[in-house]
Amino acid sequence: MSYYVAPHQPERLFSRKSKNERDARYIAAQELACLVNDKSLRLKMPNGFSTRQLVEIQEETLMPKNKEEIFTAVETLAKLSDSKQKAQNLYKQSLEVHKNMDLLFEERLLPESDFNEIKKSLKIIRDYAVALSSYKEALPEAAKARKYLEEILELPE
C-alpha cells in the first residue's frame, strides 16, 4: 500500500494499492485531479501538477510510536470482554445445576443417574469458577488498559 499527499494539501492522504510506485502515484494524482475538478478540494496549482510532486509517506510514518502499547491495551480489553461473556453464559447454567451439588450432602442413598447428573453439574460449576476467576484476574490489567486508551482518546473517566 502506498500513501501520498499533495505538497499543498498535507492533511489529505491518498492511499493506493498498486504493484509499482509509478502506477500508484498516477492513480493518486488522478484522484487528486478529480477532487480539484469537482471543487471538493480547494487547491490552486498555477503551474499545473505532476505525479512527481506527490509526497510519498511510508506506512511506518503513519503509525504512532506507541502502536504496540495501543494494540496490547485493546487486546487486554478484548480478553476481559471474552472472559466476562463466558462467565455470564456459564452463570445461568451453574445456578440451575447448583442444586445437584446439594444431593451429595443428603443422608439418603442416591441412584446412579443422580451421580451422573452431579458429575455433569460439577463440570459446569468448575467451568464457571474458572471463567469467573479468569475475569477477576483480568480486571486490574484491563482497568490500566482502559485508562491508557482513555488518555490517548482524551475521553472523560
Side-chain angles (χ1 to χ4, degrees), residues 84-127:
K84 182 173 184 161
Q85 182 182 19
K86 190 172 186 178
Q88 278 183 198
N89 292 341
L90 290 168
Y91 173 71
K92 292 174 188 171
Q93 293 176 22
S94 69
L95 282 179
E96 292 171 10
V97 298
H98 188 266
K99 64 184 181 300
N100 291 337
M101 198 168 38
D102 293 337
L103 295 174
L104 289 172
F105 297 95
E106 292 180 2
E107 293 295 322
R108 68 181 178 92
L109 295 174
L110 299 173
E112 192 68 30
S113 61
D114 282 354
F115 285 113
N116 291 334
E117 199 61 36
I118 290 169
K119 287 178 184 176
K120 288 178 188 175
S121 299
L122 290 173
K123 220 177 200 182
I124 292 171
I125 291 170
R126 179 201 64 204
D127 291 347

Side-chain angles (χ1 to χ4, degrees), residues 30-92:
Q30 280 185 323
E31 186 179 336
L32 177 65
C34 286
L35 289 173
V36 170
N37 291 339
D38 293 346
K39 295 186 171 103
S40 302
L41 187 64
R42 296 187 187 274
L43 187 64
K44 294 183 181 177
M45 298 176 281
N47 300 330
F49 187 76
S50 161
T51 58
R52 284 180 255 127
Q53 289 176 292
L54 286 173
V55 178
E56 184 176 6
I57 298 176
Q58 299 298 318
E59 188 170 5
E60 296 80 36
T61 308
L62 297 173
M63 287 298 189
K65 292 177 183 156
N66 60 346
K67 174 181 89 169
E68 291 302 318
E69 290 86 0
I70 292 170
F71 288 171
T72 301
V74 170
E75 190 176 293
T76 301
L77 291 170
K79 286 179 183 177
L80 179 71
S81 175
D82 290 343
S83 63
K84 182 173 184 161
Q85 182 182 19
K86 190 172 186 178
Q88 278 183 198
N89 292 341
L90 290 168
Y91 173 71
K92 292 174 188 171

Side-chain angles (χ1 to χ4, degrees), residues 13-26:
L13 186 69
F14 299 95
S15 58
R16 291 290 138 239
K17 200 172 200 173
S18 183
K19 292 181 182 179
N20 65 41
E21 181 189 347
R22 194 172 126 222
D23 289 346
R25 276 183 184 276
Y26 179 73

